[in-house]
Amino acid sequence: MRHVKFRMRIKKGNTKPAKTSRMQKGTDKFSRGIMAPKTYKIDRKEKMSLWERAWLPEILCGMLITGRHFLKNLLRTQEMITIEYPEEKKQLPPGYRAEHRLMQREDGEVRCTACMLCSTICPARCIEIVAEDVGDNVIEKRPKIFNINELRCVVCNLCVEACPCDAIRMDTGRFENASFDRATAIYDKEKLLSNKADGASNLSAGLY
Ligand code: SF4
Ligand code: SF4
């Protein structure tokens, strides 16, 4: 391979003057007189009256609309579109993507076979799986560690769709997963197995 060496020569005491900008040289379009700076003037032919300039009609109009909605909601609470959350909760739409859960087989073992398809497809790289041998030639593996970082998850549902054995779902209906520290937002295998679809919408039941 041919090597080329570059050398930089630095002259001591270089007294070359610094470059002057275009503005300093007077070469810009404004200073050369080619373009004059534009000024805009708004021509208001119709003068606003004092009543209009006070904006009182508009303020009163806005207050009337607010007052009308306030009284309507106060007298007809059944028709209100807002709810008293968190005491009252809305029915989640079918297929709502909530917290993950891991499914179990009939014998209570985790259904996941640690095939890594979900962690491979996950765009947020938030699924961590460490597989272990189960000593069974049919199933072969199961997850020793299965962590999902719910803070990093973008709730795309791709892991659920990629799973070949319906071992992971997002049908728990739980979405209030705020926490005071990041560590509790990383759900381990036990947490994912204990998550149930108890908060799911009845409308979602037919999807699985
Ligand atoms: S829902 Fe999307 S981002 Fe979240 S764990 Fe699954 S694949 Fe990753
Ligand atoms: S949850 Fe499904 S896709 Fe993910 S490792 Fe387990 S079996 Fe594979």
Side-chain angles (χ1 to χ4, degrees):
M1 188 184 285
R2 200 176 160 196
H3 295 276
V4 182
K5 286 185 180 177
F6 293 97
R7 286 182 187 167
M8 187 185 286
R9 288 182 186 169
I10 302 167
K11 285 183 184 175
K12 285 184 181 176
N14 190 0
T15 54
K16 196 176 177 183
K19 282 185 180 177
T20 51
S21 69
R22 291 183 68 193
M23 287 294 283
Q24 285 170 312
K25 284 178 181 174
T27 54
D28 62 302
K29 289 177 181 177
F30 293 138
S31 59
R32 279 183 289 155
I34 296 169
M35 282 179 71
K38 285 183 181 175
T39 51
Y40 296 93
K41 195 178 175 187
I42 298 167
D43 187 15
R44 289 192 192 279
K45 286 177 184 165
E46 291 179 17
K47 295 278 181 195
M48 291 170 79
S49 66
L50 181 66
W51 178 251
E52 283 171 331
R53 274 185 281 151
W55 300 109
L56 270 176
E58 300 306 320
I59 291 169
L60 287 173
C61 189
M63 287 176 77
L64 275 174
I65 293 169
T66 309
R68 193 180 74 216
H69 283 288
F70 173 73
L71 286 173
K72 187 180 156 193
N73 288 336
L74 197 70
L75 299 173
R76 289 190 282 178
T77 50
Q78 299 302 316
E79 291 177 23
M80 271 205 302
I81 55 169
T82 53
I83 56 165
E84 291 189 20
Y85 181 86
E87 289 80 18
E88 197 183 334
K89 286 178 183 170
K90 275 198 167 183
Q91 170 96 308
L92 294 174
Y96 183 85
R97 299 170 199 162
E99 281 184 11
H100 299 79
R101 68 171 171 139
L102 281 177
M103 304 299 291
Q104 287 167 291
R105 295 201 304 260
E106 285 176 4
D107 59 2
E109 270 296 321
V110 63
R111 206 186 273 180
C112 172
T113 55
C115 69
M116 310 285 178
L117 277 177
C118 56
S119 61
T120 305
I121 203 166
C122 176
R125 296 279 179 267
C126 61
I127 304 178
E128 180 197 8
I129 303 170
V130 176
E132 67 178 355
D133 196 351
V134 289
D136 182 341
N137 287 338
V138 179
I139 299 173
E140 292 183 1
K141 290 184 295 174
R142 71 179 166 208
K144 185 181 177 189
I145 296 171
F146 197 115
N147 293 336
I148 298 182
N149 188 336
E150 294 284 339
L151 283 180
R152 209 191 279 177
C153 171
V154 293
V155 204
C156 65
N157 205 47
L158 281 177
C159 52
V160 179
E161 288 176 28
C163 183
C165 43
D166 189 23
I168 186 167
R169 291 185 185 179
M170 296 182 76
D171 63 344
T172 53
R174 297 181 185 187
F175 54 89
E176 298 153 316
N177 48 7
S179 61
F180 288 102
D181 55 76
R182 289 168 186 266
T184 49
I186 299 172
Y187 291 3
D188 59 8
K189 191 174 130 185
E190 284 66 40
K191 165 77 179 166
L192 290 166
L193 281 169
S194 66
N195 256 0
K196 303 293 175 205
D198 44 12
S201 160
N202 295 334
L203 300 170
S204 295
L207 293 174
Y208 296 99

